[in-house]
Amino acid sequence: MMQKLLFTICLSTAGFAAQAQVDTVRATTLPPAQVAEKYYNSGVAKFNQKSYQAALQDFDQAIKTKADFGKAYYNRAATRYELKQYGPAVQDYNQAIQLEPTSFTAWYGRAQAKQALGENDGAEQDYGKTAELKPDYAPAWYYRGDLRFEKGDYQAALADFTAAIKADPKYAYAYHDRGSAQRQLGNYAAAVQDYSEALRLQPELEVALLNRAAAKRRQNDAKGALADYNAYLGHHTDNPVAYLGRGQARFEAGDYKAAADDFSKALELKPGYALALNNRAAAKLKLEDFKGAEADATAAIQQNAQYAEAYLNRGHIREMLRNPAGACADWRKAADLGIEAGKSYAAASGCE
């Protein structure tokens, strides 16, 4: 009896000691679900601190402890994405989707990872599924529109950017890219409106100035285009494309000297820039600097042997230099490369 009593007391004492030290119990003594949750929460904290490698290790442990932990797969995928481990990220998103098929964030995350891998068709499908699960999630519409724009499906891209704007009326990038889709479809007035709205919402999105200028040029609004180019170049003097665009606007406004200066500036920033060489050739032709114009057109062709417009321009230049054989050869080459006007010029000049 005494032994039993002593044994009972010992048990009671041991139980009390365990309860008194509950804060120092090792994680391995907790139930598996709680162990997994502990590692998961630690991983989330480390992810938020951008300690991605440490977060990855915690999510590994969470999944090892609880194999059906959907959120852990999702967060490990997000961590792997940040580490540029896109293939493994897709595999983790696959598991997350299998465990929680209605999680729009997992579909969206997998779309991002597939896009990073260059698997654009799969990414487009996943963005579509994301939008289906959560129609008010603007980024899904926007990024699908971006992929459709890249492959030249501008009408579908336009619809997606419009859906993104409906979901988030303050989405400046969606307005900007819808403007670009409108421009590709020839809807220049609508493009100008969208670029303007993008700038109103996000004034620092100054690339919209360049694209709005291009749309205004298509509207024959050289003055408006010049204003946009000047505004952009007031802050960015290292962009050859901006100087090229302003040069084109100045050319269209009849200011050939200023146009030639802009094309020269573009060439300083980007030597061998075929577009700037060809355009400066056209400006020099207008300024009656025929030798300089021929040199520029020839240099453009050396940069791009398939540059049809450069052949056409050099044909005009050589005609002015009293080189009919050279002019005829250039016009024929322009025609061979797809510019029908080359045939007309050759025929009008009596080229055989």
Side-chain angles (χ1 to χ4, degrees), residues 121-259:
D121 289 342
E124 183 179 337
Q125 292 174 7
D126 282 353
Y127 286 131
K129 182 64 176 180
T130 306
E132 176 188 324
L133 290 169
K134 190 168 177 57
D136 62 346
Y137 190 57
W141 296 106
Y142 173 77
Y143 283 106
R144 189 175 73 171
D146 181 54
L147 290 174
R148 289 175 166 181
F149 184 94
E150 286 181 5
K151 69 180 184 181
D153 192 352
Y154 302 119
Q155 197 66 55
L158 179 67
D160 279 346
F161 295 138
T162 299
I165 290 166
K166 181 179 179 181
D168 181 0
K170 296 183 179 180
Y171 202 158
Y173 281 94
Y175 279 105
H176 176 274
D177 288 9
R178 188 173 73 172
S180 294
Q182 296 279 23
R183 185 154 59 96
Q184 292 292 337
L185 292 167
N187 304 326
Y188 302 118
V192 168
Q193 290 178 356
D194 277 342
Y195 291 135
S196 297
E197 183 62 12
L199 285 164
R200 187 188 71 80
L201 291 167
Q202 194 167 326
E204 64 273 20
L205 187 59
E206 292 180 318
V207 67
L209 286 168
L210 291 182
N211 289 324
R212 188 173 68 179
K216 287 179 177 179
R217 282 183 50 234
R218 292 289 188 174
Q219 289 182 296
N220 298 315
D221 180 9
K223 183 178 179 181
L226 278 171
D228 281 346
Y229 285 125
N230 288 336
Y232 180 87
L233 287 166
H235 297 95
H236 307 276
T237 59
D238 59 349
N239 188 339
V241 174
Y243 284 104
L244 179 76
R246 189 173 71 175
Q248 291 169 326
R250 285 175 163 174
F251 185 95
E252 290 160 3
D255 191 351
Y256 304 120
K257 176 64 170 64

Side-chain angles (χ1 to χ4, degrees), residues 77 85-95 110 113-114 117 119:
Q85 299 174 4
Y86 302 123
V90 168
Q91 294 174 5
D92 276 344
Y93 282 126
N94 290 343
Q95 289 295 323
R110 191 172 73 173
K114 285 181 177 180
L117 287 168
E119 298 175 5

